Amino acid sequence: MTTFKTAESVCEGHPDKLCDYISDSVLDGCLAVDKYSRVACEVMATRGHIIIAGEITCRGKVDIRNIAIQALFDRGYDPSEFNIEIYVHRQSKDIAEGVDTSLEARGGDKGYNGSLGAGDQGTVYGFATTETDEKLPLPLVLAHRICEGIDDARKLDKITGIKSDGKAQVTIEYENDIPKRVKSVVVSVRHDKDKSLFSLFYEIKHIVLLEVFRVFPLDRDTEILVNPSGKFIEGGPSADTGLTGRKIMVDTYGGLASHGGGAFSGKDPTKVDRSGAYMARHIAKNIVASGLAEKCEVAVSYAIGKAEPVAVNVNTFGTSEFSDEYICQIIKRVFDMRPGEIIRYFGLRNRRYANTSIYGHFSCPLYPWEVLNKVGEISEIVANDLKEI
């Protein structure tokens, strides 16, 4: 059966990603002076305005305005063209108390290990597949590489006359759920008014695309579209209002796996939207790397103020010789999914998050949630269980 799967990514100056970057830069600024900061920072960018709002509790002084100015400069914008407005206040006392002392500890278990409660309710998802070395869907990996390649070509002057706002989309043709060929590639890049669209097409194809698709080549029937709308001179927040958290599919699995709806950027690690999703991805990736399944989706549900998840579910899409229920039992034996333990396990209070705001949160092998450090333990458990049968 032939099917098609499509995923997109965006360049570092895309308005939504600009907002993610500012949000995470503010978070980093807070964690640098107080690693126990509580941060929920949202940003909107529109013509001439950067609006920063949210809840921030930090025991140090953070210059949010200068952080935003530096972030704009980093992403290829002139900070003098924007009026920066800041509206922040402290985290709700009710939420803070519920997170500081979990429901379990408040229930009388004074010796409860892991007293930090979840910062919000909801379900987070982790996904992994054998399609790529990154254990991510192939269309998403290729789209990320295109955008990274465009950003690099611009900054290294390999392609001149382009701006930091852009995006890419890749469609892969599958046969019986196996990637077979590249059906189409769509790239849109902001450019100077005197930039030739013919030159832009040639440069994007020969400097970026042919390099990206060495691992999974284009063919003579692959449709390549560069700026299919025509000229793309006006861009950035002047043409497209940006918001923190609007590119959650780019951040995760390209829409090719489930998503609970919570964004990552601008949130400190007590928010399970971020930390819980990192753990769910870590679990799914280690399960796939251990050979238990070719695909694995892990769903973890939390209640605000409660440390232990209220539910854990697994779906291996029929790609495992073991039942999903059995794999779920293994997960509960190997991984601690309480927020406080996730923070400790990954060292999330000591990290900086601005770099996670581009090319996805799961595409860099240096991120601790991407490390395959539980494969041996998982394999040993399965081997011992099989001996007992």
Side-chain angles (χ1 to χ4, degrees):
M1 181 177 69
T2 300
T3 57
F4 301 95
K5 296 182 182 180
T6 302
E8 75 160 355
S9 185
V10 297
C11 295
E12 64 179 14
H14 185 280
D16 294 327
K17 275 292 148 206
L18 170 65
C19 292
D20 286 343
Y21 183 61
I22 295 173
S23 292
D24 275 333
S25 295
V26 171
L27 170 63
D28 287 351
C30 293
L31 293 176
V33 298
D34 176 12
K35 68 179 182 179
Y36 295 99
S37 295
R38 297 286 170 79
V39 180
C41 180
E42 312 285 346
V43 177
M44 182 175 78
T46 190
R47 185 190 298 266
H49 296 275
I50 300 292
I51 301 168
I52 302 172
E55 301 80 50
I56 296 177
T57 302
C58 179
R59 291 178 292 185
K61 184 174 177 57
V62 178
D63 192 336
I64 295 176
R65 187 176 306 278
N66 276 339
I67 289 173
I69 289 171
Q70 183 62 49
L72 285 164
F73 180 78
D74 291 345
R75 291 299 183 248
Y77 293 98
D78 181 354
S80 68
E81 296 179 356
F82 295 89
N83 178 41
I84 299 172
E85 304 170 50
I86 302 170
Y87 307 95
V88 299
H89 55 274
R90 293 175 65 85
Q91 184 182 58
S92 157
K93 183 179 178 181
D94 293 342
I95 294 175
E97 290 177 350
V99 173
D100 289 340
T101 306
S102 69
L103 177 65
E104 292 88 341
R106 282 179 277 126
D109 186 355
K110 301 302 182 183
Y112 185 75
N113 181 23
S115 63
L116 192 69
D120 205 349
Q121 68 179 38
T123 300
V124 296
Y125 291 88
F127 179 76
T129 172
T130 57
E131 274 185 29
T132 62
D133 291 340
E134 296 89 343
K135 302 292 187 290
L136 289 169
L138 180 61
L140 180 66
V141 169
L142 294 171
H144 283 326
R145 289 178 182 174
I146 292 170
C147 288
E148 187 173 9
I150 292 170
D151 286 336
D152 287 344
R154 172 180 57 84
K155 289 183 283 191
L156 295 173
D157 288 329
K158 292 181 178 179
I159 301 178
T160 59
I162 61 173
K163 307 293 188 181
S164 62
D165 186 6
K167 59 172 61 176
Q169 178 178 284
V170 176
T171 299
I172 299 294
E173 181 179 322
Y174 287 71
E175 190 68 35
N176 296 323
D177 213 31
I178 298 173
K180 288 298 182 183
R181 59 179 295 271
V182 184
K183 182 181 185 297
S184 66
V185 179
V186 183
V187 175
S188 294
V189 183
R190 186 184 179 191
H191 57 86
D192 293 340
K193 63 181 180 181
D194 57 351
K195 180 73 175 181
S196 161
L197 294 183
F198 176 82
S199 296
L200 182 63
F201 180 92
Y202 182 88
E203 290 169 333
I204 292 293
K205 180 178 179 180
H206 289 272
I207 296 174
V208 179
L209 297 185
L210 293 184
E211 179 63 30
V212 168
F213 286 91
R214 285 180 183 274
V215 295
F216 197 84
L218 306 167
D219 60 45
R220 67 177 63 186
D221 294 321
T222 299
E223 184 178 29
I224 300 175
L225 301 172
V226 177
N227 284 24
S229 66
K231 62 182 181 180
F232 183 7
I233 297 170
E234 187 175 7
S238 295
D240 180 16
T241 295
L243 291 170
T244 297
R246 193 154 58 183
K247 284 291 178 281
I248 56 176
M249 297 307 170
V250 173
D251 288 340
T252 54
Y253 309 105
L256 301 174
S258 300
H259 197 295
F264 297 163
S265 290
K267 295 178 181 177
D268 74 83
T270 65
K271 278 74 171 176
V272 289
D273 283 342
R274 178 167 226 151
S275 55
Y278 287 174
M279 176 55 84
R281 160 64 176 173
H282 181 66
I283 294 169
K285 189 175 181 182
N286 274 270
I287 290 294
V288 168
S290 70
L292 290 188
E294 294 179 13
K295 289 184 183 179
C296 182
E297 183 177 86
V298 176
V300 187
S301 300
Y302 291 94
I304 188 169
K306 190 177 186 298
E308 297 286 352
V310 297
V312 180
N313 288 289
V314 175
N315 185 357
T316 56
F317 307 93
T319 66
S320 176
E321 62 180 293
F322 302 98
S323 70
D324 291 345
E325 291 79 8
Y326 173 67
I327 293 176
C328 191
Q329 291 174 13
I330 293 176
I331 288 170
K332 291 177 180 179
R333 291 162 68 180
V334 174
F335 299 95
D336 194 330
M337 290 166 276
R338 294 173 296 175
E341 289 305 301
I342 295 172
I343 291 170
R344 180 197 61 77
Y345 180 62
F346 291 138
L348 295 181
R349 294 197 193 280
N350 300 309
R351 294 207 60 79
R352 296 296 174 262
Y353 294 93
N355 286 339
T356 66
S357 64
I358 50 172
Y359 320 133
H361 289 244
F362 309 128
S363 57
C364 177
L366 299 178
Y367 296 153
W369 47 90
E370 290 299 295
V371 174
L372 298 173
N373 61 341
K374 294 294 185 179
V375 172
E377 185 176 350
I378 292 169
S379 300
E380 184 178 357
I381 288 173
V382 173
N384 290 337
D385 287 347
L386 291 175
K387 288 179 183 178
E388 296 177 3
I389 296 177

